[in-house]
Amino acid sequence: METTKKPSIVADDVVVSLEYTLKVNDEVVDTTEGDEPIQFIQGHENIIPGLERELYGLKVGDSKSVRVLAKDAYGELDPDALVDVPRKEIPKDIPIRLGVELTVRNEDGELLDARIVSIGKDTVQLDFNHPLAGKDLDFSVTVVDLRAAEAEELEHGHVHGDDLDEDEDDLFESEDFEFEEDEEDLDDADEPEGKKD
Ligand code: ZN
């Protein structure tokens, strides 16, 4: 028995299933095509604000093109997010090559994604900017389903599913930082947001 009425439009506290294609400079950088749609709770900053606010009022089956400027997406490039790390602090498991992505645990215990952007004799430069920082994003989206969020989902502020938990396996440790190798490229772009558990 359905106890809650199925929402008819995208509104706060509605779980939205969304197909999307993301282009930057006319190139597809991410898409749900051939994959499951993403799911998120509208109005809880699960996705980037510039996209979220354009979805209000859409119905199942509606499509829309949305341009999101960098400042409303992943922000402008931050020069302070380039950090030199002594080479010896990078665990041996991680190949020191340009473009290699890794996750660093900082002093506060937060996991931060970085890429190797420069390799010196004794140091490696890590870029903690999001790969899409500084870029305007062109989304084509289609709403494929809407449902009311469960009370527990609202309490947590995110959708509950089978595979949404952060996997902290394969965590490497070093003196000052812990590192882990990223499993897929543009993992974050699967969820234009910053999903936290
Ligand atoms: Zn939760």
Side-chain angles (χ1 to χ4, degrees), residues 152-153 156-160 165 196-197:
E152 196 187 53
E153 290 176 318
H156 289 203
H158 56 234
V159 173
H160 284 168
D165 290 327
K196 297 180 196 87
D197 255 309

Side-chain angles (χ1 to χ4, degrees), residues 50-87:
L51 179 59
E52 182 175 64
R53 69 170 171 250
E54 294 295 323
L55 301 180
Y56 284 101
L58 294 182
K59 302 182 189 71
V60 172
D62 282 352
S63 296
K64 189 170 185 180
S65 294
V66 179
R67 159 158 282 211
V68 183
L69 299 179
K71 66 177 170 61
D72 294 323
Y74 293 94
E76 305 294 350
L77 282 171
D78 177 6
D80 292 337
L82 296 170
V83 178
D84 289 314
V85 176
R87 238 180 133 114

Side-chain angles (χ1 to χ4, degrees), residues 19-22 28-36 140 189-190:
E19 290 176 345
Y20 73 93
T21 293
L22 167 59
V28 175
V29 297
D30 193 25
T31 180
T32 55
E33 213 177 295
D35 213 338
E36 295 294 309
S140 305
D190 278 353

